Amino acid sequence: MASNTMRKVSLRNLAAHKLRLVLTVLSVVLGTAFVAGSIIFTSTVSTAFDGIFNNVALGVDTQITPKESNSSGVPDSVLDQLEDNKSELGIAKIMPSYSGPATIAKADGKALQTGGAPSVGSAFQPPDQRLSDTESRLIAGRAPAAPNEVALNDSAADEADLKLGSTTKVAISRGMGAPMEVTIVGLLNVPGDTSGFTNVQFLESTAKDLFSDGSHSQAIDLQAVQGVSPEELKSRVGALIGDGYELRTGDQVRQDEKDNINQFLDVFNYILLAFAAIGLIVGTFIIYNTFSMIVAQRVRELALLRAIGASRKQVTRSVLLEAFVVGLIGALIGLAAGIGIAALLRALTSSTGLPTASLQIGATAVIACLVVGIGVTMISAYAPARRASKVSPVEAMRESATDGQASLKVRTIIGIVLAVVAVALLAIGAAGEGPGAAATVGGGALVMIFAVVFAAPALSRPFVGAIGSVLARPFGKIGQLARTNAVRNPRRTAATAFALTLGLMLVAVIGTLGSSFKGTIDEAIDTGLTANLIISGSQGSGFSPSVSESVDGIEGVESVVSFGAVQAQVDGDSVWGYSPIGDMETVTPYEMVEGPPTVEPDGMVVGERTSKEKGWNIGDTVEMTNFDGTVVPVTVTGIFKDNPLVDPWAIGSDAYQKLIPEPLRTDVFAAIKTVPGANIDQISDRVEDATADYLTVKVQTPAEFKGEQSSQIDQMLSVLYAMLGLALVIAVLGIVNTLALSVIERKREIGMLRAIGMARAQVRRTIYIESLLIAIFGAVLGVVLGVAFGWALVRTLRYWGLGDPVFPWGLIVITLVGAAIVGVLAALWPASRAAKTKPLEAIAE
């Protein structure tokens, strides 16, 4: 039989079964849309950032920065060297940089929220000192001429409802600077200004006082005289100042900024692609299920083709051609949907400070969409295509065979072996801690998923039979018939349920992690904190140590303990901890294993786990090196039982001041102990009044603090659940698809039942119950697996201080009830279609 004839047969077959075509195409669309959307969106944001960073370091031929970003900066001695050798080096202009985080108050006195965009303070540069004419420039007003005068970028001024002559406050989140009352004397146009971005420019001497220790600058920008190339200037300066600094040309600075943001965008892209992969995996099972049923329904048709001369290869190619057409259509529609998803993401993120650009629909997105859509569909259809080719001509003499009657023995044995291996890996991983243990749990979870793929058909019979005997019993013979339909083709039942299993497994894993994180936070606050009030920074940021000083002495406040952030190096490794300013025992009941609880000015107390990991014992001297190279010896004076609030270690105030330069000092939080019997609400109001000028700090009770942390976790989980909704939508589609095709396959059977007296309502009820049983099987299997994986994963995260696993029982119950409802809803349309079957027409086929 000619190939073009078989091609016509395949295409006509697709055209004759439009409903089946639509259902299968839709499963491809849902997966490929996220692939295209993620690539287009990240490409769009990357292009927008490239446009911004093209305006960075304009006019800069060489930039000098410290090798460590957390150091005090470039010392003024380097600046003096450059000034003294300016002509010999070929330098035209030298510009030191003084900048840092700063928050400005709006006209109503509240902090201007940036939506995640930077809010920085810097030094104003007069036009004759600038390295480029395209740098930020005044568009109204004048330059700052006094310490309390500032210039502000015009977009931030509009957002804050501020104008020339407005008086407001600026808070600095690092160092000991108190909030400043300033007057806006100039408005700026800043190249690359994005939504939410805020730039407050001070007099240079003021910026130096605010953002440096007086003897360092964050960077030094150099412009070469005419005839000296950037590379040549960089080489000359490097030879003069030595190897202790990082030297880059302006082009390198711009490229590094682009590379940094692209690394972040790559991570975001991987997350989106991971969810797309989930959708594709679930969709693969639906496509496989669909083509398996198509082959089963077309046994007579395919056998007749074989009888009139079609070879096995031609039959295989015929089925694969149908898969190719389905994949192509799905990929093209998925590309269009992906463009829509990218446009929606761009609209959502444009209000959060991220820059925007026109959608970048490149060849990568188109090719990826086509390869994934067509590839997944054809791979999914290959096994059914091979099965179709094995149909012998004699089958044309028989009724259509029902797929799924072959023995399940071999695949079940494989599934059991894989399950044993998976359980062993999960147990080994759960017994350990750290990245290696988490990877072992991940490996065990992957093996278990494959075990379920192999063993689920055999498992479905007893499970569905058991729950069917309970749930279907009230429906009498109708329920019994539905139960029989659900178990008689275990392969189809398992494949249909697996889509729901995978989606709900991920929901259960994420739910267990979220509940465990919230449980750990609650336990840390409940058992590790005796303070009555907590001061924290907004959006997780730190705040100036002077905040705690402003609270000390307020009526009703017994003690204030602030916790400064400490980051240093020990034996070449980065370490972090806290420095409590005040008596830590008054706000947290940490229990000592060895040594006194008092933190000596030049000493440190260490958590029990950290003591074992680092080998830091009582009497040991730990040499901490800050990022300026200053070595500070600290003596271990005590070891405490692990405490989430104090872990991993805490150093004394003298060591902290030697280790962390004043401009870099920031508090993570502060705990307030009130006078016994005092009114907490009244004291909270007084503390809020005293700290209001700092703009970015919040005053909360422990219960409020816990609620906020839980709310933030819930917000992150809601985003993940929303994206996992893709897998659940595909799972529902899979149930609809399978039931619809099952109705087509059982048309003669349904016609016979209608002929002997079954009412339409009874037919619908049969399909409802069958779908309900399949959905519950998939849901229970998914929840059990998800809880097991979540439990094992949480156990491995003890390394990072996560507490015992907490299971989201409420979510589990809601999930199971929801699955039952989904099962019924998914059956509405197939059941209606089945009920409309005409007995005589069905029997005549």
Side-chain angles (χ1 to χ4, degrees):
M1 185 179 290
S3 297
N4 60 345
T5 303
M6 291 299 294
R7 249 191 318 272
K8 290 179 182 178
V9 169
S10 298
L11 296 176
R12 286 176 179 173
N13 185 62
L14 283 174
H17 299 88
K18 295 181 178 64
L19 176 62
R20 189 170 66 199
L21 173 65
V22 170
L23 290 171
T24 313
V25 164
L26 190 55
S27 63
V28 181
V29 170
L30 289 171
T32 53
F34 257 66
V35 173
S38 59
I39 294 174
I40 293 170
F41 174 70
T42 51
S43 178
T44 299
V45 176
S46 177
T47 299
F49 272 109
D50 285 349
I52 292 173
F53 294 132
N54 285 334
N55 292 308
V56 170
L58 293 175
V60 175
D61 291 313
T62 296
Q63 185 181 84
I64 307 169
T65 55
K67 287 191 173 179
E68 297 290 348
S69 59
N70 289 319
S71 72
S72 297
V74 183
D76 286 351
S77 59
V78 172
L79 191 61
D80 294 338
Q81 277 184 293
L82 296 171
E83 290 285 1
D84 293 342
N85 296 275
K86 192 173 179 180
S87 57
E88 291 87 345
L89 295 171
I91 299 174
K93 291 182 180 180
I94 302 175
M95 182 187 293
S97 173
Y98 305 102
S99 64
T103 302
I104 193 166
K106 298 186 294 184
D108 61 5
K110 297 180 180 179
L112 175 61
Q113 301 297 326
T114 66
S119 181
V120 298
S122 60
F124 179 86
Q125 295 295 335
D128 61 332
Q129 295 180 20
R130 293 177 190 159
L131 304 186
S132 170
D133 292 335
T134 57
E135 288 185 82
S136 61
R137 55 188 176 81
L138 280 171
I139 56 174
R142 60 176 176 82
N148 65 336
E149 294 181 345
V150 299
L152 180 66
N153 61 310
D154 59 337
S155 62
D158 290 341
E159 185 70 23
D161 197 22
L162 298 171
K163 55 184 181 295
L164 288 177
S166 295
T167 299
T168 186
K169 287 185 173 62
V170 174
I172 310 300
S173 62
R174 290 179 182 174
M176 298 302 294
M180 300 174 57
E181 188 168 287
V182 298
T183 301
I184 299 174
V185 298
L187 295 179
L188 302 163
N189 177 267
V190 179
D193 192 349
T194 65
S195 174
F197 173 74
T198 303
N199 182 206
V200 186
Q201 295 191 2
F202 301 85
L203 195 67
E204 185 176 63
S205 58
T206 304
K208 185 172 184 178
D209 290 340
L210 291 173
F211 304 118
S212 80
D213 59 1
S215 60
H216 290 79
S217 56
Q218 278 79 30
I220 299 177
D221 293 333
L222 307 175
Q223 188 176 73
V225 298
Q226 191 172 4
V228 176
S229 69
E231 287 292 346
E232 189 176 358
L233 180 59
K234 172 184 168 183
S235 177
R236 292 178 183 179
V237 171
L240 175 68
I241 65 175
D243 298 329
Y245 308 95
E246 184 173 5
L247 276 71
R248 296 175 295 170
T249 65
D251 288 341
Q252 289 172 333
V253 171
R254 287 184 284 275
Q255 188 59 50
D256 287 346
E257 294 289 347
K258 292 177 184 179
D259 291 343
N260 288 336
I261 194 63
N262 284 332
Q263 285 180 356
F264 163 75
L265 292 175
D266 284 344
V267 172
F268 185 75
N269 198 29
Y270 293 148
I271 294 172
L272 289 177
L273 289 175
F275 283 100
I278 293 169
L280 283 172
I281 291 170
V282 176
T284 297
F285 279 88
I286 296 175
I287 298 166
Y288 172 82
N289 213 19
T290 299
F291 277 94
S292 294
M293 295 182 70
I294 290 172
V295 170
Q297 293 168 17
R298 294 169 56 197
V299 167
R300 295 184 68 186
E301 173 192 329
L302 297 173
L304 284 170
L305 289 173
R306 295 276 286 115
I308 61 175
S311 67
R312 287 187 174 183
K313 287 184 178 180
Q314 287 175 320
V315 172
T316 301
R317 289 171 186 164
S318 174
V319 178
L320 288 177
L321 176 60
E322 292 181 29
F324 174 82
V325 174
V326 168
L328 178 61
I329 296 172
L332 292 175
I333 298 175
L335 176 61
I339 294 172
I341 290 173
L344 178 62
L345 289 172
R346 184 184 65 168
L348 290 173
T349 55
S350 64
S351 61
T352 63
L354 279 176
T356 58
S358 58
L359 289 177
Q360 303 297 305
I361 307 169
T364 302
V366 177
I367 293 172
C369 212
L370 291 173
V371 169
V372 170
I374 295 172
V376 166
T377 308
M378 294 192 70
I379 291 171
S380 302
Y382 180 72
R386 285 288 304 275
R387 196 179 307 131
S389 70
K390 295 178 182 178
V391 176
S392 62
V394 73
E395 291 292 332
M397 312 291 183
R398 306 177 185 172
E399 297 295 330
S400 295
T402 301
D403 183 44
Q405 300 302 318
S407 173
L408 301 173
K409 182 177 180 180
V410 174
R411 66 180 294 161
T412 303
I413 292 173
I414 295 173
I416 292 172
V417 172
L418 290 176
V420 171
V421 173
V423 169
L425 289 173
L426 290 172
I428 293 171
E433 296 181 10
T440 303
V441 168
L446 184 62
V447 174
M448 182 62 80
I449 290 172
F450 280 106
V452 170
V453 171
F454 281 98
L459 184 62
S460 69
R461 274 179 171 160
F463 186 93
V464 174
I467 61 174
S469 63
V470 176
L471 297 179
R473 179 169 294 180
F475 298 96
K477 293 296 182 182
I478 297 298
Q480 185 178 351
L481 179 60
R483 175 175 172 268
T484 302
N485 286 337
V487 300
R488 71 177 178 179
N489 192 330
R491 280 185 172 85
R492 182 198 304 156
T493 297
T496 303
F498 184 78
L500 198 59
T501 296
L502 190 60
L504 295 186
M505 178 195 76
L506 293 168
V507 169
V509 169
I510 293 172
T512 301
L513 284 173
S515 296
S516 300
F517 275 115
K518 289 192 284 188
T520 299
I521 292 171
D522 289 349
E523 184 181 5
I525 300 297
D526 292 338
T527 63
L529 189 68
T530 56
N532 306 105
L533 294 171
I534 298 171
I535 300 176
S536 61
S538 62
Q539 299 179 342
S541 62
F543 51 88
S544 169
S546 58
V547 171
S548 300
E549 293 183 357
S550 68
V551 174
D552 198 13
I554 290 178
E555 182 184 353
V557 172
E558 185 176 277
S559 62
V560 181
V561 181
S562 60
F563 290 79
V566 183
Q567 189 174 4
Q569 290 184 327
V570 176
D571 298 328
D573 295 329
S574 292
V575 296
W576 63 269
Y578 301 107
S579 176
I581 307 300
D583 186 359
M584 192 163 59
E585 287 184 278
T586 63
V587 295
T588 177
Y590 65 101
E591 185 179 346
M592 299 303 295
V593 176
E594 188 178 358
T598 305
V599 185
E600 299 295 332
D602 282 315
M604 70 184 299
V605 291
V606 182
E608 195 172 12
R609 179 186 288 113
T610 303
S611 173
K612 293 176 182 177
E613 290 177 354
K614 301 288 188 181
W616 297 347
N617 300 305
I618 294 286
D620 289 350
T621 297
V622 178
E623 291 191 342
M624 293 191 172
T625 306
N626 71 9
F627 295 103
D628 290 326
T630 303
V631 179
V632 179
V634 186
T635 302
V636 178
T637 60
I639 297 173
F640 59 86
K641 284 190 176 180
D642 293 330
N643 181 314
L645 285 178
V646 189
D647 279 341
W649 45 263
I651 64 171
S653 56
D654 287 356
Y656 175 64
Q657 291 172 8
K658 295 174 186 175
L659 201 60
I660 307 299
E662 184 175 301
L664 298 179
R665 292 175 196 164
T666 182
D667 286 349
V668 180
F669 71 97
I672 300 173
K673 184 74 173 178
T674 60
V675 174
N679 187 302
I680 303 298
D681 291 338
Q682 291 180 357
I683 297 174
S684 177
D685 290 341
R686 293 174 195 151
V687 174
E688 286 180 350
D689 290 341
T691 59
D693 288 347
Y694 287 91
L695 300 178
T696 59
V697 299
K698 294 177 292 187
V699 182
Q700 297 170 304
T701 64
E704 290 170 339
F705 183 75
K706 285 193 302 183
E708 182 184 54
Q709 302 304 309
S710 295
S711 176
Q712 290 176 359
I713 292 173
D714 287 337
Q715 287 176 4
M716 289 187 290
L717 292 180
S718 64
V719 174
L720 294 174
Y721 289 146
M723 299 186 76
L724 283 175
L726 169 70
L728 297 179
V729 166
I730 299 176
V732 174
L733 173 67
I735 297 174
V736 173
N737 197 4
T738 300
L739 290 175
L741 292 171
S742 177
V743 167
I744 297 171
E745 180 184 347
R746 303 200 315 249
K747 190 172 183 179
R748 286 174 60 87
E749 173 190 323
I750 294 171
M752 290 288 291
L753 292 171
R754 292 277 289 117
I756 62 175
M758 179 177 275
R760 288 184 174 181
Q762 291 175 316
V763 173
R764 286 195 294 268
R765 201 172 302 134
T766 303
I767 304 297
Y768 294 157
I769 298 170
E770 180 182 349
S771 177
L772 175 67
L773 296 178
I774 294 174
I776 291 177
F777 169 62
V780 171
L781 191 58
V783 167
V784 170
L785 290 176
V787 167
F789 298 161
W791 172 83
L793 188 57
V794 169
R795 297 279 296 174
T796 68
L797 297 179
R798 290 173 297 176
Y799 178 81
W800 287 283
L802 193 62
D804 293 330
V806 178
F807 300 117
W809 297 116
L811 176 66
I812 289 171
V813 172
I814 291 172
T815 297
L816 293 176
V817 173
I821 295 172
V822 161
V824 175
L825 293 177
L828 290 176
W829 179 68
S832 176
R833 183 180 176 86
K836 294 176 181 177
T837 301
K838 296 179 181 180
L840 294 180
E841 289 182 7
I843 295 171
E845 285 191 359

